Amino acid sequence: MSVRITPLTMQPSARAALGQPRVPFKVYTQRDLESIEALNRLDEAARFEMKVVSTVLPFRVNQYVIDELIDWTRVPDDPIFQLTFPQRGMLAEEHFERVAALLRAGADKATIDAAVDAVRHELNPHPADQMAMNMPLDEEGHRLDGMQHKYRETVLFFPSQGQTCHSYCTFCFRWAQFVGDKELRIASSEAQALHQYLRTHPEVTDLLFTGGDPMVMKTKHLAAYLEPLLEPEFDHIQTIRIGTKALSFWPHRFLGAEDADDLVRLLERMVEAGKHIAVMAHYNHWKELDTDAAQAAIRRVRSTGAVIRAQGPLIAHINDDPAVWAKMWKLQVRLGIVPYYFFVERDTGARNYFEVPLVRAWEIYREAMQQVSGLARTARGPSMSASPGKVEIQGVTEIAGEKVFVLRFIQGRNPDWVQRPFFARFDEKATWLDHLKPAFGEEKWFWEDEYAAIREARLAAAEPGDHA
Ligand SMILES: *Cc1c(COP(=O)(O)O)cnc(C)c1O
Ligand code: SF4
């Protein structure tokens, strides 16, 4: 390898010159619930409920989120509190009671663990059969762990050191990756396997690092994945996207954290060498953009030449209000961030608590769009990341006397499906693609047979017995 790796350590004087104070990262998990002082304002019943829910669903929050993002005078309705702290409604009554009874009775750890395991397995942690259908295969048909290659141009990579986040979102469908269940993990420690795969796939232009949050990784680990991509053999990789919520949950990662300066340098080097670095920032609420640290971090990332694009799901109790989206998009544009995706939340464990009907998602999107200038209208959606592809709800209308949803693929397993309008019978309760039926009495979607064939071929190609 001829790539020159610039030393990653920086002179202390250089840090001082940047004027970034070191802020320690202080994190709380389920075991530390009692020591979060701010929670003392809640009554004991509410604290017990949190304990029950966080026994099942992952919980992790840090001091920055507690001090700067949550308005404790508005708890429990505060959106960032809903985003990060467990709420009773996030578990089905039956699941809640099962675990609560054991905790109340002081059951032993093994009994609780077994009950929790059983509940977790009932929560459908891998929607859209992504395990079976998206993992690429090597030449011999072995699955490549820690990667997904679903759309021709883009490979997703899950670095094993990035399988956690600075705080956890209560609605997150990736929770299975955080709770230590090996069988459910999608992760990789294999930079080499990644590079080998990309070498042999010239059709791939985009590499997307995801997690968890790759920005929890030490900079030197991130560099080990990124820097080899500057070799000429990876010229086809134009864009490196890094999906992250660190700009929201821990902006000091880009400011005064231990290896923040090295990270900034790494991004600079990648940009200078001709790669497009896209920081795919996950935002749910304008509040996350409204602190001094958040804005300083955004400026610093942008100063490297990286582009920040924003995406996030629509979530009941957090942002199901057009005013919240309009304000967030405006603030993003003001800060130089490009709004990218408006997602419909997928089928997660706490679905009943968070879901918003598709028709309401469209109304919220539309009403928010109407309030912003064209530069903020680059957020596409509402988009469902379903197994056949990303399906956008374009609107509700009436055609030949039938009320319908107008849909289209933003991305499809077959690129030929992209941008073709199709129609579903209107259903005011539907919250996901699989609740919808084709309009005009048609029996099938235009893509249905092809999708079934792709699915079958894909499952047959995988190693026998490993898509159970
Ligand atoms: C959204 C998504 C991508 C990226 O699609 P773009 O349209 O390029 O943003 C890639 N892979 C998967 C699995 C996705 O869900
Ligand atoms: S930051 Fe992303 S991966 Fe992490 S918990 Fe939130 S949604 Fe999930």
Side-chain angles (χ1 to χ4, degrees):
M1 292 249 164
S2 64
V3 175
R4 194 167 43 87
I5 313 265
T6 352
L8 286 171
T9 32
M10 194 181 181
Q11 297 307 313
S13 56
R15 180 186 307 282
L18 287 164
Q20 306 296 350
R22 278 273 173 91
V23 182
F25 181 66
K26 184 156 189 225
V27 71
Y28 301 88
T29 64
Q30 202 255 349
R31 280 180 305 249
D32 323 304
L33 261 180
E34 323 270 317
S35 62
I36 301 176
E37 265 175 50
L39 289 182
N40 291 337
R41 62 178 69 223
L42 304 183
D43 62 28
E44 198 163 327
R47 291 207 302 269
F48 177 73
E49 286 174 1
M50 274 188 189
K51 190 168 168 197
V52 174
V53 179
S54 62
T55 304
V56 177
L57 301 174
F59 167 70
R60 184 175 158 93
V61 70
N62 70 62
Q63 199 69 48
Y64 169 80
V65 173
I66 292 172
D67 291 346
E68 299 210 37
L69 296 186
I70 295 173
D71 176 353
W72 289 92
T73 66
R74 294 191 47 210
V75 162
D77 297 331
D78 179 79
I80 311 297
F81 181 74
Q82 291 283 331
L83 171 67
T84 52
F85 278 83
Q87 311 294 325
R88 179 177 184 143
M90 291 174 190
L91 286 184
E93 201 51 38
E94 191 266 321
H95 289 158
F96 181 90
E97 278 308 327
R98 221 194 289 174
V99 177
L102 292 174
L103 291 183
R104 271 191 217 105
D108 59 70
K109 187 169 175 313
T111 312
I112 295 173
D113 285 353
V116 164
D117 260 12
V119 169
R120 283 180 186 158
H121 274 271
E122 287 165 38
L123 291 178
N124 181 27
H126 280 296
D129 47 22
Q130 34 171 325
M131 276 286 227
M133 283 189 73
N134 302 340
M135 275 190 196
L137 307 176
D138 69 10
E139 288 84 12
E140 276 112 53
H142 301 296
R143 273 190 194 163
L144 292 168
D145 226 17
M147 268 184 249
Q148 288 187 18
H149 191 183
K150 178 169 171 180
Y151 307 125
R152 191 176 51 195
E153 305 80 15
T154 306
V155 164
L156 266 54
F157 182 67
F158 300 74
S160 62
Q161 306 94 330
Q163 299 306 303
T164 184
C165 304
H166 293 102
S167 283
Y168 291 155
C169 307
T170 41
F171 60 77
C172 182
F173 68 92
R174 300 188 177 176
W175 62 268
Q177 287 159 243
F178 308 143
V179 293
D181 186 336
K182 280 219 184 67
E183 203 186 312
L184 297 172
R185 271 176 101 106
I186 310 179
S188 172
S189 50
E190 287 291 324
Q192 272 182 355
L194 169 69
H195 295 140
Q196 180 55 25
Y197 187 78
L198 295 178
R199 230 174 248 127
T200 53
H201 287 268
E203 75 279 15
V204 175
T205 58
D206 288 39
L207 171 61
L208 201 167
F209 286 86
T210 182
D213 189 334
M215 289 297 187
V216 303
M217 273 195 272
K218 291 224 160 55
T219 301
K220 66 176 185 206
H221 292 136
L222 196 57
Y225 292 114
L226 294 184
E227 298 219 88
L229 298 170
L230 298 180
E231 290 281 344
E233 61 185 332
F234 297 114
D235 272 355
H236 55 293
I237 308 299
Q238 297 176 13
T239 301
I240 297 164
R241 305 191 209 181
I242 305 172
T244 184
K245 201 164 169 70
L247 282 167
S248 305
F249 280 162
W250 185 234
H252 298 286
R253 174 70 186 95
F254 307 93
L255 297 170
E258 199 180 323
D259 55 355
D261 300 336
D262 297 335
L263 173 62
V264 166
R265 230 132 272 193
L266 171 66
L267 299 181
E268 260 165 18
R269 269 200 309 284
M270 300 300 295
V271 171
E272 272 163 25
K275 297 295 185 193
H276 176 140
I277 300 289
V279 173
M280 307 305 291
H282 171 193
Y283 289 110
N284 304 98
H285 197 278
W286 54 263
K287 179 72 201 174
E288 299 166 273
L289 296 149
D290 202 29
T291 72
D292 290 341
Q295 297 191 0
I298 290 164
R299 278 195 299 276
R300 200 155 188 230
V301 169
R302 292 187 62 225
S303 77
T304 66
V307 175
I308 307 174
R309 290 172 214 274
Q311 55 188 30
L314 169 67
I315 305 281
H317 303 282
I318 296 175
N319 60 16
D320 52 341
D321 173 358
V324 168
W325 285 89
K327 184 165 177 178
M328 179 163 75
W329 285 334
K330 282 182 194 165
L331 196 46
Q332 284 168 355
V333 169
R334 174 191 288 248
L335 296 169
I337 298 174
V338 185
Y340 188 56
Y341 275 136
F342 172 101
F343 289 122
V344 178
E345 183 53 2
R346 62 205 302 180
D347 193 0
T348 69
R351 179 183 71 215
N352 292 333
Y353 190 76
F354 290 124
E355 72 187 353
V356 179
L358 296 177
V359 61
R360 184 65 195 138
W362 170 66
E363 285 164 4
I364 290 170
Y365 176 80
R366 181 166 170 262
E367 284 170 35
M369 277 282 155
Q370 287 169 352
Q371 297 171 45
V372 299
S373 93
L375 292 189
R377 292 184 191 177
T378 51
R380 287 179 302 164
S383 170
M384 294 175 271
S385 293
S387 186
K390 276 194 176 65
V391 177
E392 181 187 74
I393 300 140
Q394 293 212 278
V396 175
T397 191
E398 210 176 282
I399 298 177
E402 183 174 339
K403 195 171 180 188
V404 295
F405 280 113
V406 184
L407 308 168
R408 70 168 174 180
F409 281 101
I410 297 176
Q411 273 289 9
R413 284 196 189 262
N414 179 350
D416 187 51
W417 302 342
V418 172
Q419 301 289 356
R420 288 198 199 184
F422 64 107
F423 303 92
R425 214 186 292 157
F426 180 74
D427 177 344
E428 66 176 359
K429 292 210 181 74
T431 59
W432 197 250
L433 182 64
D434 61 8
H435 300 158
L436 296 178
K437 298 269 177 292
F440 315 128
E442 282 170 20
E443 274 174 26
K444 285 182 185 173
W445 304 111
F446 80 86
W447 43 270
E448 201 164 323
D449 287 342
E450 253 183 291
Y451 171 65
I454 292 170
R455 186 167 190 279
E456 222 158 279
R458 186 60 189 75
L459 296 181
E463 291 154 276
D466 89 344
H467 55 262

